[in-house]
């Protein structure tokens, strides 16, 4: 439960989208949490013309990239090519926001993303549901929740983290004076 809300709150506070990869760009796709067989090198010629155009800045050094990076770039470029113009604009905006974050904050988000990816699929789905409810709240309500969270004592935060996830869609953190 603690990891669940840390991920949701942390990403919401950072302005990153949990439903999207933090960078929103093909090159920044995180590695899957589950171990996989070693990736085989992907020849440049195996990429579609659209992928080659999108990844043209990597062409000269493609063969020197680790196979995992080649595979991630190929998957990301394939995904990019299937996006609508609106989805691409949103991804570019998120990437711009990501790049504007201080390196320390990006590292925290990467770590939380890896924690999220290590959770069982059911727990990931539960977090996504909580995040979606937070996302659908009016901005003023989200800001109020952030303010309340930052005013909580560490003990209150721990108590809040161990409460069952709300089903009605609204979070009600305890007030600063409440004892948990």
């Amino acid at each position: 439960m603690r990891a669940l809300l840390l991920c949701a709150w942390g990403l919401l506070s950072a302005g990153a989208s949990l439903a999207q990869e933090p960078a929103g760009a093909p090159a920044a796709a995180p590695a899957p949490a589950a171990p996989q067989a070693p990736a085989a090198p992907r020849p440049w010629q195996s990429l579609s013309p659209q992928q080659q155009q999108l990844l043209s800045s990597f062409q000269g050094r493609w063969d020197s990239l680790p196979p995992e990076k080649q595979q991630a770039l190929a998957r990301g470029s394939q995904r990019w090519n299937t996006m609508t113009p609106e989805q691409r604009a949103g991804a570019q905006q998120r990437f711009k926001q990501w790049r504007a974050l201080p390196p320390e904050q990006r590292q925290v988000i990467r770590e939380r993303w890896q924690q999220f990816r290590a959770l069982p699929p059911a727990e990931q789905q539960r977090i996504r549901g909580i995040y979606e409810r937070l996302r659908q709240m009016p901005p003023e309500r989200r800001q109020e929740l952030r303010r309340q969270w930052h005013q909580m004592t560490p003990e209150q935060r721990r108590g809040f983290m161990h409460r069952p996830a709300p089903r009605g869609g609204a979070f009600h953190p305890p007030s600063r004076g409440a004892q948990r």
Side-chain angles (χ1 to χ4, degrees):
M1 180 68 179
R2 180 182 174 111
L4 173 127
L5 290 173
L6 280 175
C7 286
W9 277 103
L11 290 172
L12 184 64
S13 296
S17 172
L18 185 57
Q20 301 290 328
E21 284 148 11
Q36 295 181 342
R42 175 106 188 231
W44 179 259
Q45 296 76 17
S46 71
L47 300 174
S48 71
Q50 295 87 1
Q51 288 176 302
Q52 288 181 1
Q53 181 181 5
L54 188 61
L55 298 173
S56 62
S57 64
F58 292 97
Q59 184 176 7
R61 57 189 170 113
W62 185 260
D63 291 337
S64 66
L65 293 175
E68 297 81 16
K69 182 75 167 181
Q70 290 176 349
Q71 296 294 344
L73 287 167
R75 281 190 309 270
S77 64
Q78 184 176 12
R79 189 168 136 216
W80 180 265
N81 285 327
T82 63
M83 289 181 174
T84 65
E86 294 80 20
Q87 289 171 322
R88 287 180 183 185
Q92 287 174 329
Q93 179 62 30
R94 286 187 300 278
F95 184 66
K96 185 178 180 180
Q97 290 171 340
W98 171 257
R99 296 293 300 210
L101 293 174
E104 300 82 16
Q105 193 171 4
R106 281 190 267 170
Q107 184 59 37
V108 167
I109 293 169
R110 281 186 195 103
E111 290 168 3
R112 288 181 181 166
W113 177 250
Q114 290 304 318
Q115 289 172 355
F116 172 78
R117 297 290 296 189
L119 294 172
E123 191 72 5
Q124 289 182 19
Q125 197 59 32
R126 186 169 170 210
I127 291 170
R128 283 187 176 103
I130 291 171
Y131 178 79
E132 188 59 29
R133 287 192 299 273
L134 286 169
R135 194 181 68 77
Q136 290 177 0
M137 284 182 187
E140 301 79 25
R141 178 65 179 137
R142 286 195 307 261
Q143 187 61 34
E144 174 62 18
L145 288 173
R146 277 190 205 102
R147 186 189 63 71
Q148 289 176 5
W149 177 260
H150 290 295
Q151 290 180 346
M152 289 172 149
T153 66
E155 296 79 26
Q156 290 170 328
R157 288 181 184 175
R158 277 191 292 276
F160 179 72
M161 296 300 244
H162 295 291
R163 291 187 344 198
R167 298 286 177 211
F171 287 108
H172 300 290
S175 65
R176 187 166 178 85
Q179 294 297 318
R180 288 263 166 217

